[in-house]
Amino acid sequence: MILSGTVVADAETVVRNGAVVVDGSTIAAVGDRSDLRSRYPDHEERSYDLLAPGLVGGHVHSVQSLGRGIADDTELLDWLFDYVLPMESSLSPDEMEVAARLGYLECIEHGTTTVIDHLSVNHADRAFEAAGDMGIRGVLGKVLMDQNAPEGLREDTDAALAETEALVREYHGAFDDRIRYAVTPRFAVSCTEDCLRGAREIADRYEGVRIHTHASENRGEIETVEADTGMRNIRWLDEVGLTGEDVVLAHCVWTDDEERELLAETGTHVTYCPSSNMKLASGIAPISDYLDRGINVALGNDGAPCNNTLDPLTEMRQATLLQKVDSLDPTATPAETVFEMATSNGAQAAGFDRVGKLREGWNADIVGIRTDLTRATPIHDVLSHLVFAAHGEDVVFSMVDGEVLMDDGEVLVVEADTIRRRANEIDLDLDAAREHAQKVKPS
């Protein structure tokens, strides 16, 4: 198959009247359309306005998709303990699968082809199966919570770690290695030292397994961790083994100089979630400083209850504008830098080494984007358009490992209307869920 159009191969390479040749699950060639058309005369050709690498959601909560709009205008710990955790605890296995499918559907529709997905304590296997069935690429993990968690989500430490290891054995490298595992403590507040150290031990036993958790998102969270451990959050995570090149920390809004240097020295990845940080009034992550220190920064939407969309193109716009206004520097985080966060940096955080750019021999994870729109007229700079003007609904084509997941705006791998209908049929009785959860909020 030949995909033709303006090809954004990476943040530095744009090929006008270009093409990408796909053979099986990989990219055979990238370059001038006329040249590739003559070299591959028997290949079917499909044309799109823009072609780009599939975007990488460096931190998402697919299974929170049913909670879109239930927790607006709340502070992080209230948001989590009063709304989101009760919702998660109330979901049946079938409802959890619907939630995951709804999240992945939105990702596919908006051009996210790889996710680092923070699931929930219960029924994680249903999300793994949904991701595998729908064709998305992902690093997924069952959430660990063995303290400061409501009934229905708080687990015995050994049992939680044992279930994690069983899921690693079943799903790490599954679906032709599209799906991998990340050991996923929710955050230091909800995990004992034994749980956090156990997470590191499991990751060390299996090649390629990541660790994915939240860190330093909110000042109240940091105060709680420091009161419990005598250390600031990042220092505590380092103490228990949760820093390093296999670790992805979401947010990292409130870090001091020592912690930032620790992140850089250990090669720990950070995921920037600007919309979520703004909506929860968590603060502005020091992304420009992280980049200056050589820290790999990915980009994530977080979850539907704190965004309220999983649109990665809108998130790129938010990412750069927020850094500019914070620094009062219009040159901060230019379009090229933000595009790398959403593609190659995210792939690096996820541990996929042939994802995030359109390169010969790399995985054929590709999206097509329409530009026959007033706000796309004219396009003087393609990357500027993608970062500052494009929206998720502009994506009309998505491919992962050479499999077409969506074309002409229609998702092909599932019945989208069925997923949306089933999601609307689920009754989220939050009052009953809160009573069932028996809220346990750290003071």
Side-chain angles (χ1 to χ4, degrees):
M1 178 187 303
I2 295 177
L3 305 175
S4 60
T6 295
V7 176
V8 184
D10 56 40
E12 299 177 346
T13 310
V14 176
V15 184
R16 305 279 183 175
N17 195 26
V20 181
V21 180
V22 177
D23 274 342
S25 63
T26 62
I27 296 171
V30 181
D32 177 76
R33 176 189 175 274
S34 297
D35 175 58
L36 295 179
R37 180 72 273 176
S38 63
R39 286 169 53 192
Y40 297 89
D42 297 329
H43 280 53
E44 171 196 1
E45 181 175 356
R46 302 184 188 183
S47 296
Y48 302 93
D49 296 338
L50 291 180
L51 294 164
L55 300 171
V56 179
H59 176 66
V60 302
H61 291 267
S62 66
V63 299
Q64 290 180 6
S65 292
L66 293 176
R68 193 189 319 269
I70 66 170
D72 294 341
D73 307 321
T74 55
E75 184 269 343
L76 172 64
L77 294 183
D78 295 335
W79 173 90
L80 182 63
F81 284 90
D82 292 351
Y83 296 93
V84 173
L85 293 183
M87 177 194 70
E88 288 185 16
S89 71
S90 73
L91 296 179
S92 70
D94 285 348
E95 290 168 340
M96 192 71 78
E97 180 177 337
V98 171
R101 286 182 176 273
L102 183 65
Y104 298 141
L105 175 63
E106 186 175 359
C107 287
I108 292 169
E109 289 176 334
H110 288 169
T112 297
T113 57
T114 298
V115 293
I116 305 177
D117 194 0
H118 199 285
L119 300 175
S120 189
V121 169
N122 302 319
H123 320 310
D125 58 314
R126 302 296 286 267
F128 276 96
E129 291 294 336
D133 178 60
M134 293 177 69
I136 201 166
R137 187 183 305 281
V139 182
L140 284 61
K142 160 196 161 55
V143 167
L144 299 171
M145 301 180 75
D146 67 339
Q147 69 173 7
N148 294 327
E151 182 180 341
L153 294 179
R154 185 175 62 255
E155 294 186 294
D156 172 78
T157 307
D158 291 340
L161 293 172
E163 184 182 357
T164 292
E165 190 153 17
L167 289 167
V168 170
R169 291 173 176 168
E170 183 169 2
Y171 289 110
H172 184 56
F175 301 100
D176 296 323
D177 200 32
R178 274 192 299 104
I179 302 300
R180 298 181 184 175
Y181 202 93
V183 186
T184 308
R186 187 176 286 275
F187 66 152
V189 171
S190 65
C191 295
T192 64
E193 180 176 349
D194 286 345
C195 181
L196 296 175
R197 291 189 184 277
R200 166 48 69 194
E201 290 170 3
I202 292 174
D204 285 347
R205 282 199 287 271
Y206 298 91
E207 183 178 357
V209 166
R210 313 300 266 184
I211 294 172
H212 178 210
T213 190
H214 303 86
S216 302
E217 181 178 359
N218 174 283
R219 285 179 291 189
E221 166 203 347
I222 293 169
E223 291 167 1
T224 299
V225 173
E226 192 162 14
D228 290 343
T229 69
M231 299 182 190
R232 285 180 62 85
N233 207 348
I234 302 300
R235 176 58 68 185
W236 172 242
L237 291 177
D238 182 66
E239 175 69 20
V240 296
L242 300 196
T243 56
E245 295 180 359
D246 59 352
V247 176
V248 183
L249 300 181
H251 304 299
C252 295
V253 175
W254 296 100
T255 55
D256 62 20
D257 188 73
E258 181 184 4
E259 290 177 301
R260 296 175 196 184
E261 191 59 31
L262 183 57
L263 292 171
E265 289 175 353
T266 57
T268 304
H269 309 274
V270 170
T271 299
Y272 178 31
C273 302
S275 294
S276 172
N277 297 158
M278 285 189 282
K279 186 166 188 252
L280 292 170
S282 296
I284 302 174
I287 297 304
S288 295
D289 187 52
Y290 289 156
L291 294 170
D292 288 344
R293 293 171 187 260
I295 297 170
N296 182 57
V297 179
L299 189 65
N301 289 102
D302 209 347
C306 63
N307 189 305
N308 296 25
T309 173
L310 302 184
D311 178 350
L313 293 167
T314 298
E315 204 68 31
M316 286 197 288
R317 174 184 169 87
Q318 302 282 54
T320 181
L321 294 182
L322 191 57
Q323 292 299 306
K324 293 178 191 301
V325 75
D326 182 48
S327 64
L328 300 180
D329 178 4
T331 70
T333 53
E336 293 82 359
T337 298
V338 174
F339 187 76
E340 286 179 338
M341 289 181 195
T343 54
S344 56
N345 289 13
Q348 183 181 342
F352 291 106
D353 59 6
R354 295 189 304 154
V355 171
K357 298 182 180 182
L358 302 183
R359 290 278 187 278
E360 181 178 337
W362 284 39
N363 296 89
D365 292 10
I366 306 168
V367 296
I369 300 167
R370 61 181 294 195
T371 60
D372 57 335
L373 303 161
T374 303
R375 58 184 162 78
T377 308
I379 295 179
H380 295 295
D381 182 290
V382 173
L383 280 175
S384 174
H385 170 71
L386 288 174
V387 170
F388 289 105
H391 294 176
E393 60 264 30
D394 302 350
V395 178
V396 295
F397 174 85
S398 293
M399 167 183 282
V400 175
D401 267 352
E403 179 185 4
V404 178
L405 308 185
M406 179 176 73
D407 199 13
D408 197 24
E410 179 182 357
V411 176
L412 305 178
V413 289
V414 289
E415 291 288 340
D417 287 342
T418 299
I419 293 174
R420 288 189 285 263
R421 176 180 55 76
R422 292 178 65 194
N424 279 321
E425 289 172 351
I426 294 173
D427 178 22
L428 285 182
D429 187 341
L430 285 177
D431 290 334
R434 290 189 195 103
E435 183 178 350
H436 169 74
Q438 293 183 17
K439 179 184 67 179
V440 179
K441 186 189 299 184
S443 58

